[in-house]
């Protein structure tokens, strides 16, 4: 039993083959998936996927890369988060790779998401790229630990992981952990406590070995879990058990 804790089922590469994608999930023992929002203009597709399938859940948020889109305030996020299939706020965070000028609007958007998550008591899904120091600073300043959540598709250093863990956050690993040149990331995998560990695909991106370079899908989270298990010297079954338990403990509204 595995859960894909972060994917984008509403994206064209996946939605056009939805039935086949869900069948492949079942064939690989992937019982549930969290479809993560990236902007409000496409939220209907995220919610729609969750409404069509009892084993799919949704989040509400605006990705830090998206500049030309509806800018949510707390009230709007809270309104949208009230949907019964919405279990998280995000994805949100900071990305200075694409926005090298580190725009203040991005930081203010992140603060808005944290405040909304605290108010509605739903966990945060946090994206950070080339921005770890500011990401952690804003998490501390805004009390993100009160809401809790996950550092998704983690690729940062062990020191960043330790800081996030100190704030009470989970760490989620994607197919990158299976890449040949990701040994430093596997060091982080070995460090993260079992009760803070999650796995994801970030589909349709970042397909794990042996599918690297192809369109990713939730079924492939099994290969992510296998890479995590190999790095930790554990069985796939053990990693599947703890990551599934962690998912339903963190995302309380997804519990049966």
């Amino acid at each position: 039993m595995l859960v894909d804790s972060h994917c984008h089922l509403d994206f064209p590469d996946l939605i056009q083959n939805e039935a086949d994608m869900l069948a492949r999930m079942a064939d690989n023992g992937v019982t549930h998936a969290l479809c993560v929002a990236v902007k409000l203009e496409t939220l209907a597709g995220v919610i729609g996927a969750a409404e069509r399938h009892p084993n799919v859940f949704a989040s509400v948020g605006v990705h830090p890369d998206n500049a030309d889109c509806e800018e949510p305030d707390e009230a709007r996020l809270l309104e949208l988060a009230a949907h019964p299939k919405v279990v998280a706020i995000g994805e949100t965070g900071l990305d200075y790779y694409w926005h090298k000028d580190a725009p203040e609007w991005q930081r203010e958007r992140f603060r808005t998401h944290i405040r909304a998550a605290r108010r509605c008591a739903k966990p945060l899904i946090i994206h950070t790229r080339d921005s770890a120091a500011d990401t952690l600073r804003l998490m501390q300043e805004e009390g993100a630990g009160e809401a809790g959540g996950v550092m998704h598709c983690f690729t940062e250093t062990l020191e960043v992981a330790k800081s996030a863990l100190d704030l009470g956050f989970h760490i989620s690993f994607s197919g990158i952990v299976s890449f040949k040149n990701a040994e430093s990331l596997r060091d982080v995998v070995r460090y993260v406590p079992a009760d803070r560990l999650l796995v994801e695909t970030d589909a349709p991106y970042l397909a794990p070995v042996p599918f690297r370079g192809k369109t990713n899908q939730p079924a492939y989270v099994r290969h992510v879990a296998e890479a995590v298990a190999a790095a930790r010297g554990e069985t796939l079954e053990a990693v599947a058990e703890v990551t599934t338990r962690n998912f339903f403990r963190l995302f309380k509204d997804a519990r049966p």
Side-chain angles (χ1 to χ4, degrees):
M1 181 175 178
L2 283 158
V3 177
D4 185 355
S5 68
H6 190 116
C7 56
H8 302 284
L9 305 184
D10 60 310
F11 282 23
D13 287 347
L14 296 181
I15 194 68
Q16 63 186 350
N17 298 307
E18 186 178 63
D20 181 63
M21 175 186 64
L22 290 166
R24 288 177 179 269
M25 280 176 59
D27 290 344
N28 283 273
V30 183
T31 59
H32 297 81
L34 175 49
C35 184
V36 176
V38 295
K39 58 183 178 179
L40 301 189
E41 287 85 346
T42 57
L43 184 61
V46 175
I47 300 293
E51 289 177 336
R52 284 191 299 276
H53 308 291
N55 62 333
V56 174
F57 306 100
S59 74
V60 167
V62 181
H63 193 289
D65 283 347
N66 290 325
D68 298 322
C69 61
E70 179 184 345
E71 193 66 44
D73 57 20
E74 287 180 58
R76 179 71 168 139
L77 289 172
L78 291 170
E79 174 193 357
L80 295 168
H83 189 286
K85 292 301 293 282
V86 171
V87 301
I89 300 293
E91 66 187 278
T92 184
L94 301 174
D95 192 317
Y96 295 170
Y97 180 83
W98 295 111
H99 298 279
K100 293 180 173 60
D101 56 340
E104 185 59 27
W105 63 261
Q106 201 180 82
R107 291 187 284 270
E108 285 305 309
R109 178 188 289 174
F110 187 24
R111 291 183 188 276
T112 296
H113 281 73
I114 296 173
R115 292 167 185 169
R118 291 176 61 193
R119 288 178 63 185
C120 69
K122 293 182 189 287
L124 288 152
I125 300 171
I126 294 183
H127 168 108
T128 182
R129 188 175 185 188
D130 289 359
S131 57
D134 274 2
T135 299
L136 292 168
R137 177 177 61 83
L138 267 60
M139 290 169 67
Q140 293 166 341
E141 291 177 358
E142 295 294 337
E146 182 181 322
V150 56
M151 308 297 286
H152 114 87
C153 192
F154 193 84
T155 57
E156 302 294 334
T157 64
L158 179 58
E159 288 69 29
V160 173
K162 289 178 178 178
S163 295
L165 290 167
D166 286 345
L167 286 169
F169 273 69
H170 290 62
I171 308 292
S172 180
F173 297 97
S174 70
I176 294 173
V177 74
S178 70
F179 296 176
K180 184 177 180 180
N181 62 349
E183 190 56 38
S184 61
L185 184 59
R186 286 186 282 273
D187 288 338
V188 181
V189 170
R190 287 184 275 269
Y191 177 85
V192 173
D195 64 353
R196 301 286 193 85
L197 187 66
L198 290 171
V199 288
E200 65 173 88
T201 59
D202 203 13
Y205 309 115
L206 302 174
V209 174
F211 303 103
R212 187 174 181 181
K214 299 181 180 180
T215 300
N216 204 358
Q217 57 179 289
Y220 295 168
V221 79
R222 181 182 186 92
H223 297 276
V224 178
E226 287 173 346
V228 168
R232 292 171 67 90
E234 299 172 357
T235 65
L236 171 62
E237 291 74 18
V239 169
E241 180 180 355
V242 298
T243 55
T244 298
R245 183 168 63 243
N246 293 344
F247 177 87
F248 287 106
R249 187 181 67 247
L250 176 60
F251 299 104
K252 298 179 179 64
D253 292 339
R255 292 175 183 173

